[in-house]
Amino acid sequence: MRLVFPAFLLAAVVCFASENNSARRLKNVFKDDFHIGAAVNRSQIYGRAPKAGVLLAEQFSSITPENVMKWSSIHPKPDEYNFEPADKYASIGEENSMFVAGHTLIWHNQTPDWVFENADGSEVSRKELLKRMREHIFKVAGRYKGRVHGWDVVNEAIEDDGSLRNTKWREIIGDDYIAKAFEYAHQAAPDAELYYNDYNMYRSEKRKAAAELAEKLQSRGLRIDGIGIQGHWGLNHPSAAEIQKSIDAFSSLGLKVMITELDLTVLPSAWEHRGADISQNYELRKEINPFPDGLPANMQRKLSNRYQQLFALFTRNSGKISRVTFWGVHDGCSWRNNWPVSGRTDYPLLFNRNCEPKRAFNEVVKAGRK
């Protein structure tokens, strides 16, 4: 089924897909390998970006919500749920026969302060926070039972050194807050796949910790179906060998592996920074925003070569990888433009700001045909 837009919007759409034959649609190229997905933002969900919407429907077989299912968006106040954007998101997946991912049930970011506080501002007890966690998971995951096919149950709970991140969830509940989240998610949505999702999983300490976390859940009889390896990477890091080690480590546990949040920055870094910690932010300087007016041919070539390398790796591991999801539909809607430096111009995806395929798109298609 096609994504439906009002007639007056469709009249304004110059549709890349109409010029694009079936053999050059990503969802067809990789249909025998893995789902190919994209993260969608609120504007796309509400049909305010029709070109991106048509591109999404034509090219991708899976979707993930950028923000509309995060706690602060869907459950901003104790007795208030805002399901309208998430309902529209789920409907897009249904109308286009897509694999619909839910992101995310438990995370230390974008969770309102009230979740961890009593009415007087004091810290809640372990019992009360577990109650709030369970109620939220049952309300959200339960609402989309049969509509959301897989949930990022817990997001980014491990530090790069392999230790558990010291979040409010952990401080109040204890280390078992992760196990409790998976327990509640299974009860609320027994037919949905359940995932742990994190960045920098190519680091040996973090990879080892994530594998041990999954094993602990399994040893307790709790269900975890897969691990999402966030792909917020660059042109030179991580190496294919490091990514392969993580794929092997997680698949050896009987888990599905997903490459989630894939985008490749082409911009220089003036600091030792890798990852996706949204709390980090830096001042805009000209030398770290070198391509405000367009990406030069030599950089297009580097981006294309990197994407070709990665998708050659992904297709070799198609028996282990169930989904590859780009974090955005096109360059213009990528968070890379505003993180970790607000106001930069980045080019991390396969489609440019006019929803047109870049050279990197052609290389990915080639990789999928081999």
Side-chain angles (χ1 to χ4, degrees):
M1 299 175 67
R2 292 178 62 82
L3 192 62
V4 178
F5 291 99
F8 78 92
L9 286 177
L10 285 175
V13 174
V14 179
C15 182
F16 156 74
S18 67
E19 302 173 358
N20 186 36
N21 62 45
S22 177
R24 281 175 55 80
R25 294 176 183 170
L26 295 173
K27 65 183 182 181
N28 293 335
V29 171
F30 296 101
K31 64 182 174 63
D32 296 326
D33 299 309
F34 36 70
H35 288 294
I36 195 84
V40 295
N41 61 29
R42 185 179 293 262
S43 179
Q44 293 155 3
I45 289 169
Y46 275 86
R48 295 193 292 264
K51 289 177 70 172
V54 175
L55 181 62
L56 179 73
E58 292 290 341
Q59 288 288 331
F60 299 99
S61 62
S62 175
I63 52 174
T64 298
E66 278 193 1
N67 290 300
V68 300
M69 282 184 161
K70 289 173 180 172
W71 196 310
S72 59
S73 296
I74 206 168
H75 191 184
K77 297 179 181 179
D79 298 317
E80 178 182 321
Y81 283 87
N82 179 21
F83 287 119
E84 182 184 82
D87 287 350
K88 289 181 179 293
Y89 161 76
S91 293
I92 289 173
E94 291 170 336
E95 291 164 3
N96 293 280
S97 301
M98 292 171 163
F99 182 96
V100 179
H103 178 81
T104 173
L105 293 173
I106 300 298
W107 190 28
H108 61 279
N109 277 312
Q110 291 179 247
T111 302
D113 290 341
W114 68 260
V115 176
F116 309 106
E117 297 175 352
N118 294 305
D120 62 1
S122 62
E123 189 173 273
V124 297
S125 66
R126 167 186 163 91
K127 181 179 179 180
E128 178 60 26
L129 188 54
L130 282 172
K131 178 183 176 183
R132 294 180 184 185
M133 174 194 281
R134 186 181 187 279
E135 188 269 344
H136 176 84
I137 291 175
F138 268 69
K139 194 85 169 182
V140 176
R143 181 181 181 88
Y144 299 102
K145 188 183 300 184
R147 303 183 71 193
V148 168
H149 305 120
W151 280 101
D152 289 334
V153 178
V154 177
N155 194 51
E156 300 174 4
I158 301 173
E159 299 279 12
D160 284 352
D161 64 3
S163 62
L164 281 181
R165 188 185 295 271
N166 196 31
T167 66
K168 282 290 186 181
W169 294 109
R170 185 186 179 205
E171 288 177 6
I172 297 172
I173 296 175
D175 291 355
D176 65 334
Y177 84 90
I178 298 173
K180 299 301 290 186
F182 275 88
E183 175 187 331
Y184 298 152
H186 172 65
Q187 294 170 356
D191 297 327
E193 294 180 349
L194 307 180
Y195 316 130
Y196 175 74
N197 188 58
D198 212 330
Y199 61 84
N200 285 358
M201 298 282 258
Y202 61 87
R203 295 178 182 268
S204 59
E205 299 89 351
K206 197 162 191 174
R207 177 195 310 130
K208 182 174 182 288
E212 290 176 349
L213 171 62
E215 287 181 301
K216 287 178 182 177
L217 293 174
Q218 291 171 330
S219 69
R220 293 181 59 166
L222 296 171
R223 182 164 62 85
I224 176 172
D225 298 293
I227 289 187
I229 300 173
Q230 291 185 24
H232 297 301
W233 299 330
L235 296 179
N236 301 307
H237 71 274
S239 69
E242 289 171 324
I243 299 170
Q244 184 66 61
K245 288 178 183 177
S246 293
I247 293 171
D248 291 341
F250 303 142
S251 64
S252 69
L253 299 176
L255 301 172
K256 293 183 178 182
V257 176
M258 291 141 291
I259 306 300
T260 62
E261 308 188 26
L262 179 60
D263 51 27
L264 304 179
T265 184
V266 300
L267 300 181
S269 176
W271 55 88
E272 286 299 319
H273 174 83
R274 292 178 183 176
D277 187 343
I278 66 170
S279 67
Q280 300 195 38
N281 200 274
Y282 300 86
E283 182 181 356
L284 177 63
R285 302 192 307 277
K286 184 177 180 179
E287 63 268 25
I288 56 174
N289 188 37
F291 313 121
D293 301 318
L295 195 62
N298 68 315
M299 296 303 297
Q300 293 278 11
R301 183 171 59 253
K302 289 180 180 180
L303 180 66
S304 301
N305 291 342
R306 176 62 163 163
Y307 265 119
Q308 190 281 330
Q309 176 199 49
L310 289 174
F311 272 82
L313 172 66
F314 299 159
T315 53
R316 287 198 302 271
N317 287 278
S318 60
K320 301 173 182 178
I321 294 174
S322 63
R323 175 164 49 92
V324 176
T325 294
F326 293 90
W327 203 242
V329 178
H330 62 82
D331 287 343
C333 62
S334 172
W335 78 312
R336 288 285 199 176
N337 295 302
N338 291 300
W339 179 91
V341 180
S342 181
R344 293 204 296 178
T345 305
D346 209 340
Y347 306 83
L349 300 170
L350 300 187
F351 299 93
N352 67 22
R353 285 163 169 79
N354 292 320
C355 294
E356 299 163 340
K358 293 154 60 175
R359 175 175 173 172
F361 170 86
N362 297 326
E363 292 303 316
V364 167
V365 169
K366 290 178 185 177
R369 289 175 175 168
K370 292 181 180 179

